[in-house]
Amino acid sequence: MLKKLKEKKKEREEEQAQFVSQLSNLKPIEVKSEGCAEFEFEMDLKDPNSRIFLFKDGEMVQFTSEDDEKHSLKKIGKKFVFSVKDLLPEDAGLYQVDVEGVNIFSTDFKIPPVDFLVKIQEVKACEREDAVFECVLSQPMEKINWMGKNVPLVQGEKYDIEVSEDKLIHKLVVKDCLQLDKGIYAAVAGIKSCNAWLVVEDPGVHFTCGLSDINAVMGQSAELVCKLSSENCDGVWYKDGEELTSEEDGPTLVKDGAYHKLIITKCAEEDSGKYRFEADGRKTEAIVIVEDPPRIDPDELAKFSEPVIIKTGQSATFKLTFVGREPMKIQWYSEDEELFDETNIKLEKSSSHSRLLLNKCQRKQTGEIKLKLKNEFGTIEALSQLIVIAYPGPPSTPKVVSAFSDCINLSWCPPTNTGGTNIAGYNLEKRKRGSNLWGPVNPPDEPIKEKQYPVKDVVEGIEYEFRVSAINFSGAGEPSTPSEFVFARDPKKPPGKVIDLKVTDSTYTSLSLGWTKPKEEEGVQDEAKGYYVEIRPAEMTEWARSNSNAITTTSFTIIGLKSMAMYWVRVSATNEGGDGEPQNLDNYIIAMPPPVRPTFTDRKMKSFMVVRAGNSTRVNINFQASPMPKITWLKDGTPVSKRITAINAEGTSQLLIPSSERSDTGIYTIILKNIVGQETFSIEIRVTDDPKPPGPVELEQNVPGTVTVSWTPSPDEKRDDRLHYVVMKRDSAKRTWQTVADRLFNNNYTAVNIIPGREYNFRVYAKNDMGLSDPSESRKWEVVRKKEKFTLNMPESKSCTFETVPSFLVPLRTHSSPESYECYMSCAVKGNPAPHVTWYRNNISINTNTNYFISNTCGVCSMLILRVGPKDNGEYKVIAENQHGRAECSTKLTVHST
């Protein structure tokens, strides 16, 4: 768990580092003055123009730099201060600051439902005196905010801030008041506030601090101190009306500026009395009482505190010495029950020590042993432990099986701790409601052998409770916890099942339920008087009750759940006739807020990415889901390799390839899955580089007026299925390079319109998503125009024709193309007159289909599909026809998924 937290913290710091170079002094939101709350932090932005956003409970909040607006932001150097004015209950919530979509700071603002029962009132104080403001709240609060002249006040030399034990009464003490302290003071609790004036008066020479009564301890030092408003004033000390002077064996009188002290070095009984100090016509008095309370030497106390461990039947001794004035009351206790001299208990007491002897101890005597010493000056206690081992533990709480007017049937389970021996039987006890006395049910010498018993010694209409103790070789062990109270009367019918049990709300630690009261059916099921809610963690087999006493309402909130844990829940109705059959929820419940199906939050997510080999690749996916979904990344349908890192956090996941390789090319799929549903998204990542050039280029003439250009494939062709070729031509007439073919996925091309007498050069480039390779260039190509001597022979006129039936010089070849890529098919046909060419897919003409680009130039027939898909799979056929006949050739296109 700690490792995951460290990883999440590191991920967050990495995200913040994109925009923030330093973040410090983060202060949570709190009420700063009447009706205003603030939170602040210091931040260095890498880009001063980075956008800052404020969210409350996940919703964006508009703010300005103006102080008179509801939400405002003030920037002072590196410090950012966010303010919320005119506080209302709905202003409570989780506030979050983001920079360019990255969370920087979050703080939770809770407004307690509190008001002032008693507000602070105006206080008048003389200079150098203390002033006290006091208020009383309607709800307990650990602390409230005190303001003086609109400035927050804190505990220190000038101010004391006090809170009563019940957290309702809050005080502000302004110490040693001066004229500059006068003004308006305010108390702020939640969004409620009240204020009052402090008036400081000039009293002349006076006591700024008077004497206080003290209780001194015999033999220890004591000190009386008072303070005047002037350092240039002397005074006189009195004890019981008699003037005191400094003497060797008496008190020491000291003047230290405005302070006047009387110091008693070692207090004795005669030092008790009434002391008075007079100066400039003013006086202050105090009572000193020298006490001699009970005291115990620390070493003796430590030794006494060590537990005494004995076996059943053995004796235990506790002894302790002490000092203190007589008379001294000495009391011994066992588990807060006072002990007295009895057969097995012996107490020894004196003015300096006491001793407790416990004979033949039993297991039930295990517990706390306490010695309490008390005289007129005080009380002191010393604690120890008695541990008696070998008896059995308590059985389970007795369960009422059935109850009648003359018999109550009980059952129980044996104790988990048998004391090391077999259980010989059980003792059962009963007690009436309102009584403190337990009475035996079975005779002491006849233990109950079974784990059930019918109690017949009952009075009709009386309510009883029962407890049981196990007996082994050592004797009877501790009794069980008492059973529920049960009336001795003929039973009512238990109620039926509750109706319409459902979950009304849930959080990570609580679950709220609601249901409808079960119906009544005379003679079958009686009216429900209360309900029990039971819960069971999914990994456990036993149910546990969430409420020990039956509730009368038809709703209940279970608290203290473990976040994201699975629980089964059921509710059963109950009445005097017993518990009805429980009603279970249909499914287990997960401790979490209402579930949200995973959804991607980015409106425009890229589905294709090209990365140059060697560079890092990052894919950021933002989503929302509750509970946090399981996040899985796949490459081409299988889990990503270990060198690829997936960084997941609340609402985001990042795929990181530190140094991309060509083998990383593929379809990457993120799968978000929680209990509500599943969502997936795929992105194609293509890792490539500038392609290497194709091999040598060869030229060949198959048809007059054309030349077929062929070349050896680029070494990258097998590794990059998007790699294709570009053919350029230059002739001696134009002297410029022209692109004659692009997006060729084969290794040859037939150029047409080759004119005899001209020189031609061809270049072939390999091309991919990164760009073009260096060219591979052909040799020079020229068709020499033959010049022959002109001879005119007039042969005998004969009838002749040059017309021919269509035929294919270059047939179609088989094609296999990745999905979403281009596909180019071509063939060469001859015939006279020029044949009409028709393209077919699966025997259906596609000449007029706009999804296919078809051309016929000088007998070279071509067809281009821009983005092939599964629908383009099939057989393709070309038919050439003229009046002399027809010819056809066909091929197959296979489209495979990337």
Side-chain angles (χ1 to χ4, degrees), residues 731-797:
D731 63 39
S732 56
K734 296 182 179 179
R735 309 302 298 173
T736 59
W737 289 97
Q738 294 178 307
T739 300
V740 294
D742 196 356
R743 304 198 66 78
L744 293 175
F745 287 88
N746 52 15
N747 303 123
N748 58 72
Y749 169 76
T750 300
V752 299
N753 297 329
I754 301 299
I755 301 173
R758 292 188 183 178
E759 295 180 352
Y760 294 89
N761 291 87
F762 294 90
R763 285 180 177 173
V764 180
Y765 297 83
K767 185 178 182 181
N768 64 7
D769 295 301
M770 286 289 107
L772 289 171
S773 70
D774 294 332
S776 291
E777 194 162 339
S778 71
R779 57 185 173 83
K780 186 182 297 183
W781 177 267
E782 181 181 11
V783 178
V784 179
R785 179 180 296 171
K786 295 181 179 179
K787 295 182 179 180
E788 297 179 354
K789 184 176 180 181
F790 180 75
T791 302
L792 180 61
N793 295 317
M794 298 296 293
E796 184 179 349
S797 177

Side-chain angles (χ1 to χ4, degrees), residues 208-226:
T208 60
C209 177
L211 297 176
S212 299
D213 294 345
I214 60 173
N215 291 352
V217 178
M218 185 81 71
Q220 298 182 3
S221 62
E223 183 176 277
L224 290 170
V225 181
C226 62

Side-chain angles (χ1 to χ4, degrees), residues 2 314 328 522 562 583 594 648 663 695 703 743 816 874:
L2 182 60
Q314 293 181 340
M328 184 85 70
E522 186 174 355
K562 184 179 179 182
Q583 175 64 61
N648 302 321
S663 59
V703 178
R743 304 198 66 78
S816 177

Side-chain angles (χ1 to χ4, degrees), residues 590-647:
I590 296 180
M592 55 172 282
V596 176
R597 188 180 189 277
T599 55
F600 297 103
T601 56
D602 291 343
R603 294 182 179 179
K604 296 181 179 180
M605 294 193 293
K606 295 181 179 179
S607 59
F608 181 77
M609 179 186 293
V610 178
V611 181
R612 186 181 295 276
N615 291 352
S616 64
T617 303
R618 291 177 185 266
V619 179
N620 288 301
I621 301 293
N622 296 320
F623 61 87
Q624 63 179 14
S626 179
M628 179 69 175
K630 178 183 179 182
I631 302 174
T632 305
W633 281 95
L634 304 176
K635 176 182 180 290
D636 297 331
T638 60
V640 296
S641 64
K642 292 183 179 179
R643 58 180 292 273
I644 298 176
T645 304
I647 304 171

Side-chain angles (χ1 to χ4, degrees), residues 407-524:
C407 180
I408 297 175
N409 293 299
L410 303 170
S411 68
W412 57 87
C413 294
T416 55
N417 174 24
T418 64
T421 60
N422 294 331
I423 299 299
Y426 300 91
N427 284 335
L428 185 62
E429 297 175 285
K430 72 176 187 295
R431 180 169 68 175
K432 298 178 183 178
R433 180 181 284 276
S435 172
N436 293 325
L437 299 177
W438 288 93
V441 173
N442 60 292
D445 56 346
E446 296 179 12
I448 300 170
K449 300 297 183 181
E450 304 297 330
K451 295 182 284 298
Q452 57 188 18
Y453 192 80
V455 182
K456 297 182 179 180
D457 183 18
V458 293
V459 178
E460 183 177 2
I462 300 299
E463 197 173 8
Y464 296 92
E465 63 177 340
F466 302 89
R467 68 182 186 184
V468 63
S469 56
I471 304 171
N472 68 3
F473 179 76
S474 299
E478 294 285 340
S480 68
T481 54
S483 69
E484 299 176 355
F485 279 99
V486 58
F487 282 98
R489 61 189 178 192
D490 291 334
K492 285 188 174 183
K493 297 292 184 181
K497 283 187 176 182
V498 301
I499 303 170
D500 194 24
L501 176 61
K502 59 188 176 182
V503 177
T504 58
D505 194 15
S506 62
T507 69
Y508 284 114
T509 59
S510 68
L511 178 67
S512 297
L513 304 171
W515 60 87
T516 302
K517 187 175 182 179
K519 295 180 180 179
E520 298 177 45
E521 295 183 32
E522 186 174 355
V524 179

Side-chain angles (χ1 to χ4, degrees), residues 506-507 511 562-567 588-593 627 675:
S506 62
T507 69
L511 178 67
K562 184 179 179 182
S563 177
M564 297 308 295
M566 295 189 298
Y567 296 92
Y588 62 78
I589 299 299
I590 296 180
M592 55 172 282
I675 60 172

Side-chain angles (χ1 to χ4, degrees), residues 784-820:
V784 179
R785 179 180 296 171
K786 295 181 179 179
K787 295 182 179 180
E788 297 179 354
K789 184 176 180 181
F790 180 75
T791 302
L792 180 61
N793 295 317
M794 298 296 293
E796 184 179 349
S797 177
K798 293 183 179 179
S799 173
C800 64
T801 179
F802 295 98
E803 296 181 351
T804 61
V805 68
S807 64
F808 285 91
L809 299 175
V810 179
L812 294 172
R813 71 178 184 87
T814 302
H815 289 268
S816 177
S817 175
E819 189 175 337
S820 300

